[in-house]
Amino acid sequence: MPLLESQPKEQRRFGTFGGVFTPTLLTILGVIMYLREGWVIGNAGLLGGFLIILLAYVITICTGLSMSSITSNLRIGAGGAYAIISQSLGLEIGGSLGIPRYLSQALAITLYIFGFREAWLWVFPDHPGFLVDLIVFLALWGIAYKSADLAIRVQYLVMAVIGASLISIAVAAFSGSMQHDISEVGLWGSFPGAPESGFAGTSFWVVFAVFFPAATGIMAGANMSGELKDPRRSIAIGTMAAIGVSLLIYLLLGYWVARSATPDELVENYYVMVDKAYWGPAVIAGVFGATFSSALASMVGAARIMQAMGEHRVVPYSTWIGFRTRHGEPRNAMLITGGLVFLTMLMRDLNAIAPLITIFFLVTYAMLNVVVIIEQSLGLISFRPLLQVPLIVPVIGLAGSVFAMFIINPVVSLLSVAVVAAFYLFLVNRRIDAPFEDVRSGLFMAFSEWAAVKAAALPTKQERAWKPNLLIPVEDPALMRGAFSLVENIAGAKGAIKLFGIRHVSAPSDLDGQLDRLALAYRERGVFAASTILDNASFTNGLISGMQVLRGGFFRPNIVFLGMPRDEEQEISYGHILRSAANLGMGALIYAPHEKASLGQRRHINVWIRDRSPDWTLSWNIGNLDLSVLTAYTLMRSWNASMRILTVIGSEHDRPGATRFMERLVDLARIPDTEVVVALGAFSAYVTTAPPADLSLFGLGDQPDFDFIRTMVQHTRSSCLFVRDSGRENVFA
């Protein structure tokens, strides 16, 4: 086991041919090419088989172009597709795809080992199957554990073996193996099915689902991204070259096998290429090489995905998993990968989860295309890839990937999406700090700009969209302590708080830092808050200037929240502030705390309504009452409190009208469990004997009467809010 030591710098040592083209080509030219392409042609016919191959490659080509485009715009780290998605959409989304992708890559190694064993037992039927599996596994793991350099050199040897098998087929073609006319296999097949099902028949899309995994090897080179000398260039050139060469080989082999065997031979004999080649053992060696190289590329790539997730603290024991040797080898991640592959080998049969492996590849394909669609659609100046692709390319890649998922297995596709979603929720709760920036800020900014443009075109008065956005002038943040929770509860989870610092001679020297910490405290409690500061201004002029400037913003404040004035001069200035707020379409709240009671137990809220006698007609416009009721309702929900609406009338004759007004107000405002109180007598006398509350709300005129405000605090024996509407709120909306 490697000793922990200081993390080395990334080892950039592979070029385009060895690092990308070779592993990608060898993974695509896998066992399906040798053992299933003839069956595909036999079922679908030559034209149908070509259509299946081309459909699969359309998805692969579009995704390869998307991946190449995005990598040419990033300084990509280790992890291949995981790194691409993480650096674009964030570690949470990258990790939610990276974890299942790692697991599917590890399971794919086991499937390749089983494929090697089946071919081996076809040649040597007396050999014990598990021993074959074990020897192949140890060889694969030993090569990958030793170094990626050794793996690449082995893959050069495998490429030579596969090349020899293709030469054997080419010699057969030129030596007269193509003795059958195309009309025998037909342009469109009859889809008889497979030997295992007794040739019970099949369909075009089932045959497509069997072939498609052959086209899912394009990530093999990208998985080496952390060890490429020039990943921007190498991934694009190497991947697309491998796709182009493999497509040509698949089409030529399809034509050759259609001319070299009868339809019955194609569907009945999976080893028809061995029989029809000039020298069959070369093709058998090619099958061995294809399965071995695919497993080796997956072993090397899987460990690097795991190491990259460890380096970014996406997985537990991240420090240990993210370790690399001096030469950049992810030895600890390789230990985990080897253990996982060995355990899955004990299952002996992975056919039940084989579709899940392909579908996780397709989910990754889909997200790579989504990344390019998002990046291009945002139009950010930071997205300037060296390889530009039309938007239709990732759109086709995305649509094709999703289509292929549900063609292959809709149930497993839904399960895979659920798995990805579960990992995403897990990682969101972990609150991972990414060591790089991603595109999410630009994405959210683009959405907000789009929303701002749309909202600006709407009528100014959007009463149903109203929510409390508080503007709070702050000279000394220490004075906010008593109102902190009240402000939080008024804003609620959907509202917002703008802390507006006014700095002059008497202001604290660290006003910036104190306001930032105060805003952070609100955000940590789930309420969006931000702060800004105006220097060298009086309280009144500074606040009015701030209201005027902030009115032009999209998330403009709609309520100014004021504390009690500090002196008589400020008392007079409040009238000017309230009139300016009204002119700017802003409501106003003045908080007058009770010195001893504060907010009490937060169980009861009283909303006082002035006597409207003799006219208690209820209309859409109920005067200076909307903001009072909306504020009280917000606090009632936050505190789980009860609300009481009270009024005092001077004549018993007015009681029916007042009662009806209040009851209809409660009903139309949709405020359940609200008590209505209509009292008879003098307001000044009743307010001292009214049902007690932890907070009392009163209306507020143009020029606040602070003697009245202080009297109400004393008489109600509670903290009070004095409220003035902006005219843009409506409790009935």
Side-chain angles (χ1 to χ4, degrees), residues 353-594:
I353 61 172
L356 186 63
I357 297 171
T358 300
I359 286 169
F360 274 134
F361 275 89
L362 284 168
V363 171
T364 306
Y365 282 15
M367 287 308 302
L368 286 171
N369 287 294
V370 166
V371 167
V372 179
I373 291 171
I374 290 174
E375 292 264 26
Q376 284 202 15
S377 300
L378 290 178
L380 300 178
I381 195 69
S382 61
F383 184 68
R384 44 186 189 277
L386 301 178
L387 175 63
Q388 295 278 359
V389 297
L391 187 59
I392 190 65
V393 169
V395 169
I396 293 173
L398 173 60
S401 299
V402 174
F403 175 76
M405 285 172 57
F406 287 92
I407 283 295
I408 291 171
N409 194 316
V411 174
V412 175
S413 296
L414 292 174
L415 176 63
S416 66
V417 172
V419 169
V420 170
F423 278 122
Y424 174 76
L425 294 175
F426 168 74
L427 294 175
V428 166
N429 290 330
R430 290 195 64 191
R431 300 181 182 275
I432 308 169
D433 290 327
F436 43 72
E437 294 183 356
D438 54 62
V439 78
R440 286 177 297 177
S441 59
L443 178 62
F444 297 147
M445 183 63 71
F447 282 156
S448 64
E449 290 172 349
W450 174 84
V453 172
K454 295 297 182 183
L458 296 173
T460 305
K461 194 172 182 180
Q462 288 290 313
E463 295 166 340
R464 293 194 65 178
W466 184 91
K467 57 187 180 62
N469 294 329
L470 303 178
L471 175 65
I472 306 176
V474 181
E475 292 179 291
D476 185 353
L479 300 178
M480 277 289 296
R481 291 173 185 166
F484 181 91
S485 62
L486 178 64
V487 168
E488 173 195 351
N489 296 145
I490 292 174
K494 301 298 182 183
I497 298 168
K498 185 72 171 183
L499 300 171
F500 186 69
I502 301 174
R503 180 160 48 196
H504 42 75
V505 177
S506 61
S509 58
D510 185 31
L511 184 59
D512 302 76
Q514 292 186 48
L515 285 184
D516 287 342
R517 289 189 290 273
L518 187 59
L520 177 62
Y522 278 119
R523 292 196 296 272
E524 288 175 344
R525 297 171 72 91
V527 181
F528 176 74
S531 64
T532 189
I533 289 181
L534 182 65
D535 283 317
N536 302 319
S538 68
F539 178 85
T540 304
N541 292 335
L543 176 55
I544 292 174
S545 298
M547 290 191 296
Q548 292 170 339
V549 170
L550 293 172
R551 186 188 181 210
F554 176 56
F555 296 105
R556 62 178 69 92
N558 53 20
I559 301 171
V560 58
F561 183 93
L562 302 166
M564 289 294 285
R566 62 176 180 268
D567 51 38
E568 185 176 347
E569 180 182 351
Q570 198 171 72
E571 286 184 8
I572 297 171
S573 70
Y574 267 34
H576 187 32
I577 292 171
L578 294 181
R579 287 189 293 275
S580 296
N583 292 334
L584 294 170
M586 295 178 63
L589 300 175
I590 297 179
Y591 177 50
H594 190 280

Side-chain angles (χ1 to χ4, degrees), residues 243-259:
I243 291 173
V245 170
S246 63
L247 174 59
L248 181 62
I249 291 173
Y250 271 110
L251 292 175
L252 291 175
L253 283 178
Y255 180 78
W256 170 75
V257 78
R259 294 285 311 277

Side-chain angles (χ1 to χ4, degrees), residues 608 648 681-690 698 708 711-712 715-716:
W608 291 85
V648 181
F683 172 79
S684 58
Y686 178 74
V687 75
T688 60
T689 60
F698 297 90
F708 173 77
T711 298
M712 289 302 100
H715 285 181
T716 61

